[in-house]
Amino acid sequence: MNGAEKAQGRDEIRQLAYRYAHATDTRDLDTLVGCFIPEVQVGRDRRGREALRADFDRQLRAVGITILFVGNHLIDFID
């Protein structure tokens, strides 16, 4: 992996974290579950983004307002 690829990778990782935080705070569940792979494991017995969406919906209804701070990522690549 060259320097440009590492820089691009770091940027993509940071953007994922920012997107997750913003989607959580705005309750944009479509964007939030889009941060995960389609076959995401949800708990012990469920899989997929629809199961994850239902789980996030249930959890976020219980907590009210959130303000997630995302910063200070330390990202290392191992070749």
Side-chain angles (χ1 to χ4, degrees):
M1 184 176 280
N2 65 38
E5 291 170 330
K6 286 182 181 179
Q8 180 180 356
R10 282 189 192 99
D11 187 50
E12 290 175 2
I13 292 167
R14 287 185 184 110
Q15 288 297 314
L16 177 62
Y18 302 151
R19 196 171 295 113
Y20 174 92
H22 186 262
T24 299
D25 290 344
T26 61
R27 302 306 193 258
D28 180 350
L29 297 181
D30 291 331
T31 298
L32 184 57
V33 300
C35 292
F36 294 83
I37 60 172
E39 60 275 356
V40 61
Q41 178 78 35
V42 182
R44 225 185 267 191
D45 303 322
R46 297 179 297 151
R47 284 181 124 19
R49 288 182 176 154
E50 284 305 312
L52 184 62
R53 187 182 208 294
D55 200 54
F56 272 131
D57 184 50
R58 179 187 56 79
Q59 291 181 47
L60 291 172
R61 286 178 189 270
V63 296
I65 295 172
T66 58
I67 302 171
L68 297 180
F69 172 74
V70 180
N72 302 327
H73 288 95
L74 192 59
I75 303 166
D76 295 316
F77 292 96
I78 300 171
D79 293 330

